[in-house]
Amino acid sequence: MQKLRIYGPTRLQGTIPVSGAKNAALPVLAACLLADAEVELHNVPSVQDIRTMLRLLEHLGVENERLGDAVILRPTGRANPDEAPYELVKTMRASVLVLGPLLARRGHARVSLPGGCAIGVRPIDLHLTALEALGAKVTIEHGYVEARADRLQGCRHRFLKPTVGGTENLLMAASMARGTTVLENCAREPEIVDLARMLTAMGAVIEGAGEETIVIEGQDRLGGATHAIIPDRIQDGTYLIGAALTRGDVTVDGARSADLAPLLAKLDEIGAQVEVGDDHIRVRNDGVLKPRSIVTEPFPGFPTDLQAQYMTLMTQAEGVSTVSETVFENRFQHVPELVRMGADIRIDGTYARIHGPAALTGTSVMATDLRASACLVLAGLVARGETTVHRIYHLDRGYEQMESKLQMLGGRVERID
Ligand code: UD1
């Protein structure tokens, strides 16, 4: 199994390009199940989760061809199963995103229940209730969700709470339902806006993506499209946190400041210099970091996917800060590993208290999930000596060549078998 070895401390300095957003590309790829013609996607990141989704699409009858950062997808026209098997869903929860489009286009879908994952229980009940509101008959048997509907029927539905995947599944399903669907209390993440742009390019009629209420006029057919995936705000945010953490100077070319507003506001508050240009973000820090607390929330709040990385940053601030995780119930698994590196962090449920600054030292640490892996790599950059991060297959699910980007910034990081 591969590991990352980091030699610290280092100062990150330089410019890196953005990568396409994994969390935007996954629903956009699922939407290709709705297209009756070729789709051309650009800025598709080369990460493990995307490879898993492409395999799932092949299994479902959409073939693909990769050309650099572009992927061309074509319906094969062959009779294919309408089923997402356990073997694929268990490695990637986002496989449930094929439920909505399969059901809307083919009238039937069978998708393995994703089950729990390291960061929490993560049910899909809100997806299912919303599909039922559109007229689907949903049953759960033998660990699979089975949904049927001759033709989904537009309706008004209010999500009990905002769900990113649920909003995306319903956007896709309603785009081919009969009549108008009004979705209320929707998630407002930039990835949802990107999916709506893609569906619109395919011929869907959608209003309000990025707001709480989205109105969708269902279509009888959706065609091909050409679409460029938005930049990955979580990857960009990770490197910008790295700049503040290592008292460095990092520019991310192509980054979108609106998508990163809550992080940039915090970086400014803690004393880093944030420069926002039309097509880049630069973060510098040459002084003392002030402690500032965060509460994770759905967009436009502070993203849960940057919580672990921000916590690493706060281990170097002068004083006490707190992190309150409100989105997932078990997202502090990085804390014991940070503590082993010398951090002073106390947890009380979904609330953490960090006393800084801590003199971190390198050791062997275990990654437990995607974003936790990134926070341990960041910790390795400021720790004295050698840090080895094990189980980096988590990292490879969502970070495109992290060691190469860190090397471009002067980080001493290597991948070892
Ligand atoms: C997406 C992101 C993930 C990010 C999360 C929150 C992708 C592929 N993944 O995950 O990186 O951390 O948004 O920003 O885009 N919930 C229910 N029932 C449901 C659905 C969700 O109770 O049917 C709960 C979840 O357990 C969680 C909260 O709602 O506590 C938010 O989850 P959701 O927004 O759906 O996250 P994902 O789409 O799974």
Side-chain angles (χ1 to χ4, degrees), residues 23 122-127 161 163-165 304-305 327-328:
N23 284 357
R122 298 181 84 178
I124 56 163
D125 55 322
L126 302 174
H127 304 225
K161 67 172 177 179
T163 152
V164 176
T304 173
D305 285 354
V327 181
F328 292 109

Side-chain angles (χ1 to χ4, degrees), residues 35-181:
D36 64 9
E38 187 175 289
V39 173
E40 185 178 324
L41 298 179
H42 294 269
N43 295 342
V44 183
S46 179
V47 295
Q48 191 54 41
D49 274 6
I50 297 298
R51 288 187 276 276
T52 305
M53 182 57 97
L54 290 173
R55 263 174 55 213
L56 177 56
L57 291 185
E58 264 169 30
H59 172 80
L60 296 171
V62 178
E63 59 185 22
N64 68 80
E65 185 187 346
R66 206 182 235 285
L67 305 161
D69 77 353
V71 178
I72 315 288
L73 298 112
R74 291 181 204 95
T76 58
R78 288 194 294 273
N80 282 96
D82 306 328
E83 176 175 312
Y86 176 67
E87 287 62 41
L88 289 173
V89 180
K90 76 168 187 226
T91 62
M92 187 187 66
R93 266 187 58 82
S95 308
V96 300
L97 291 171
V98 301
L99 185 58
L102 277 181
L103 178 63
R105 178 103 192 272
R106 304 188 189 174
H108 175 241
R110 192 165 182 267
V111 174
S112 170
L113 278 172
C117 74
I119 62 175
V121 180
R122 298 181 84 178
I124 56 163
D125 55 322
L126 302 174
H127 304 225
L128 301 183
T129 321
L131 290 172
E132 281 175 334
L134 284 178
K137 296 271 169 290
V138 177
T139 51
I140 297 181
E141 252 178 18
H142 307 297
Y144 277 75
V145 175
E146 189 144 13
R148 285 181 194 280
D150 287 340
R151 176 89 195 259
L152 293 171
Q153 178 66 49
C155 71
R156 179 176 284 270
H157 176 76
R158 185 175 178 79
F159 288 104
L160 267 181
K161 67 172 177 179
T163 152
V164 176
T167 304
E168 291 164 348
N169 238 332
L170 265 288
L171 257 185
M172 293 186 273
S175 290
M176 279 191 84
R178 188 183 297 121
T180 307
T181 300

Side-chain angles (χ1 to χ4, degrees), residues 307 311 321-325 328-339 343-355:
Q307 177 258 108
M311 197 184 284
S321 56
T322 61
V323 168
S324 177
E325 171 59 62
F328 292 109
E329 65 276 19
N330 190 26
R331 208 168 198 186
F332 283 154
Q333 291 179 73
H334 45 285
V335 172
E337 299 302 88
L338 288 176
V339 169
D344 181 353
I345 306 172
R346 312 276 158 85
I347 303 179
D348 183 3
T350 53
Y351 182 81
R353 201 174 169 81
I354 306 122
H355 288 252

